[in-house]
Amino acid sequence: MNDSDHPVAWRFLSEIWDSLGGDKEALDRVRFEGHGALRSPFAVTDLAAASFGAAGLALGDLVATTGGGRPEVRVDRVLASGWFDLPVGPSQPLDPSARQGVPHTWMCEFRTADDRWLRVQATFPTLRSRIARALGTAEDPAAFEAEIRRHPAEDIERSLVDAGAAVAVSRSVAEWRAHAQGCAVATEPVVRIDSGGAGDDTWKPTPGRPLAGIRVLDLTRVISGPMATRFLAACGAEVLRIDRPGSDESSGVFGRGSDIMLGKRWAFLDLRTTDGRERFLRLLSEADVLVHGYRPGGLDSLVAPEVRATVRPGLVEVALNAYGWTGPWKDRRGFDTLVQFSSGLADATTTWALADPVHRTPINALGRLVDADRPRHLPVEALDFATGYQIAAAAIRGLTRRVTTGEGSVSRLSLARTAALLIGAGQIAEDPEIRLPLDGPYEDHVHVSGDGSPVKRLRFPVAVEDTPLFWERPFEAAGSSAPRWCTVA
């Protein structure tokens, strides 16, 4: 492994790859290219590059099981940064003025009675209504602000979490490391892998389109899980996303047009009904990979782990949660920025910015420039995106395991463990800034977005030798497909 260039990226990749059970010698096949970094005290650009590197390396190892050589993997650090930009690129309108940012009205923070900050994720109506009911107010930011200001941070956080809301108090890195949940996450691997049952699969990867013939059942939400399944689709897999009819996400921004659904099909199915559960089990019996982002116990209450293993022997299952798989918060709802607030990333970013406000403010936060007069998060949702490509790597590694041993597997990842990975590398020296959105390099043809407008698309930041990555399907709106497989088993 040549780690003389971009040593932090190599450090991240080595830790991720080791957790995936990869052969250390395989790291020699990866090359990182490109200089500069997103403006942050943390190595966000290197984490982006390493996560893409892990997915590319996993794909190359799978291809190698066909008896050919082991492909080289190249990662462009600048493009990796651009792909971490929201709204869930890589597509950009031909007219730059038409680019839309991320709605911020309900992704915000409020002062508490003890002058701390409480981050609120209330973009989805269900989460918003839970906060309003718990506070006893109207669904209005000003009403939320006034009521939250009356309570100490720890008290209001506990009250809202108990009500099913998604919130987080801003803590320092030191406070998080001393917290029971921070301590629990610190003992977890980046990817925890457990063996599954053996199947009788005869599938083998196809050179040039490695995941052709693979069926991926997608029960993910928001950003991280969908990034993973989108990458699997780019490798040739058939990805079928399942949502409950009328769910927040399917009726919101993601359901109307977004890069998040490139290459996939999107169907409705209610697992809470007898018919929905039976249809889901039929889909699962013919799936190769199951990726889900329900809270621990959420999917288990609908379809128990032993049922999943029995219905589909040899299943490759990958699960994501926010705050880790052990500790008192393992069942807590969470999103990228909430974990940033809990883990100290937001607090450390604010401290860093205020140490040199002339050069470090305003801060880019999800597509808008803001002063550091309140806790700020990273310039991109790095925990979501990085974990997403690690999930993709875990799924591909699971397929490699099944091809070589016949066994399925269950892999578990969390946003909080990715935060620990980033924090563990420490704060970095400032490099020339990579500014978002990137202006290329783009693919050499124009695409059509989910709303029908023409877009240009950034090139993939990871290149696996002799294995082009591309999507065979455009964006598909929620409920456009029937809950059934298209490919022949």
Side-chain angles (χ1 to χ4, degrees):
M1 180 175 69
N2 178 16
D3 59 359
S4 57
D5 290 332
H6 315 301
V8 180
W10 283 112
R11 171 180 169 174
F12 286 148
L13 177 59
S14 180
E15 187 168 348
I16 295 167
W17 189 243
D18 180 67
S19 187
L20 288 166
D23 185 348
K24 186 174 182 179
E25 283 69 30
L27 296 171
D28 291 333
R29 303 201 307 274
V30 180
R31 296 291 180 270
F32 291 111
E33 303 170 349
H35 294 278
L38 294 172
R39 187 167 60 169
S40 170
F42 296 100
V44 174
T45 287
D46 286 313
L47 179 64
S51 299
F52 273 111
L57 196 54
L59 193 63
D61 261 19
L62 177 63
V63 171
T65 64
T66 62
R70 297 184 177 272
E72 298 289 320
V73 177
R74 291 184 294 104
V75 181
D76 186 315
R77 295 172 66 258
V78 178
L79 275 171
S81 302
W83 273 59
F84 272 40
D85 193 15
L86 281 173
V88 294
S91 297
Q92 298 181 12
L94 297 185
D95 178 4
S97 65
R99 177 181 166 90
Q100 296 182 351
V102 178
H104 294 86
T105 303
W106 293 108
M107 294 173 62
C108 52
E109 51 277 335
F110 300 105
R111 281 280 192 187
T112 60
D114 47 356
D115 279 331
R116 297 176 69 183
W117 289 102
L118 181 79
R119 176 75 177 185
V120 169
Q121 170 50 271
T123 302
F124 298 124
T126 299
L127 295 176
R128 192 157 60 245
S129 65
R130 288 172 181 166
I131 295 175
R133 285 196 303 270
L135 295 178
T137 70
E139 293 184 15
D140 175 73
F144 281 15
E145 182 177 29
E147 182 61 25
I148 288 170
R149 188 63 163 147
R150 297 178 58 245
H151 302 274
E154 302 279 354
D155 292 348
I156 192 64
E157 179 187 49
R158 187 179 307 108
S159 174
L160 291 174
V161 167
D162 289 347
V167 301
V169 169
S170 181
R171 292 171 169 84
S172 68
V173 169
E175 287 172 329
W176 179 244
R177 284 173 169 166
H179 191 279
Q181 191 59 35
C183 292
V185 171
T187 66
E188 296 181 6
V190 176
V191 186
R192 173 184 163 185
I193 304 174
D194 295 316
S195 296
D200 57 358
D201 299 275
T202 59
W203 175 86
K204 301 290 183 183
T206 301
R209 201 66 174 143
L211 298 192
I214 287 295
R215 293 168 168 172
V216 178
L217 198 52
D218 180 353
L219 300 182
T220 65
R221 298 172 177 174
V222 194
I223 303 297
S224 191
M227 290 301 97
T229 55
R230 187 177 74 177
F231 186 84
L232 298 179
C235 301
E238 178 186 356
V239 178
L240 177 62
R241 173 165 170 169
I242 299 295
D243 265 74
R244 176 178 55 80
S247 67
D248 284 344
E249 198 157 327
S250 63
S251 58
V253 62
F254 295 135
R256 294 195 299 269
S258 164
D259 272 7
I260 206 165
M261 282 301 298
L262 285 172
K264 314 177 199 179
R265 295 168 52 241
W266 199 349
F268 288 147
L269 201 60
D270 192 342
L271 274 65
R272 300 172 301 181
T273 67
T274 299
D275 179 65
R277 184 175 182 276
E278 289 177 353
R279 295 186 72 176
F280 174 78
L281 291 176
R282 288 197 296 272
L283 288 170
L284 183 63
S285 70
E286 298 175 337
D288 297 283
V289 178
L290 171 65
V291 184
H292 56 93
Y294 288 30
R295 287 186 304 141
L299 179 59
D300 295 351
S301 66
L302 299 169
V303 182
E306 57 271 21
V307 173
R308 301 198 295 269
T310 301
V311 166
R312 180 51 171 104
L315 179 68
V316 174
E317 183 173 334
V318 188
L320 165 75
N321 80 354
Y323 281 102
W325 295 91
T326 60
W329 285 12
K330 62 182 178 62
D331 296 330
R332 179 175 290 210
R333 289 178 174 84
F335 291 76
D336 178 295
T337 52
L338 298 184
V339 175
Q340 288 190 41
F341 270 59
S342 296
S343 66
L345 284 167
D347 178 77
T349 299
T350 305
T351 300
W352 169 84
L354 292 178
D356 186 4
V358 172
H359 300 100
R360 296 175 180 172
T361 62
I363 296 173
N364 183 303
L366 302 188
R368 62 172 181 165
L369 294 176
V370 291
D371 290 327
D373 59 348
R374 57 177 60 216
R376 298 316 318 168
H377 41 76
L378 303 173
V380 294
E381 292 200 350
L383 308 184
D384 261 339
F385 283 87
T387 309
Y389 292 106
Q390 292 166 35
I391 291 170
I396 297 169
R397 289 290 296 165
L399 290 170
T400 301
R401 179 190 184 112
R402 197 175 73 185
V403 166
T404 55
T405 70
E407 291 185 342
S409 58
V410 180
S411 300
R412 294 179 176 86
L413 303 88
S414 74
L415 301 181
R417 186 58 183 85
T418 299
L421 185 68
L422 186 59
I423 292 168
Q427 297 196 13
I428 59 170
E430 294 186 55
D431 284 334
E433 182 183 359
I434 296 173
R435 294 181 177 271
L436 300 179
L438 293 183
D439 186 16
Y442 299 104
E443 295 181 352
D444 58 5
H445 47 281
V446 173
H447 301 269
V448 177
S449 71
D451 63 7
S453 60
V455 294
K456 49 192 175 181
R457 191 174 293 161
L458 292 172
R459 294 178 185 171
F460 273 83
V462 58
V464 181
E465 187 179 8
D466 297 325
T467 307
L469 300 174
F470 60 92
W471 293 293
E472 297 165 355
R473 302 180 62 86
F475 166 86
E476 179 168 300
S480 295
S481 284
R484 61 172 179 256
W485 298 112
C486 291
T487 55
V488 177

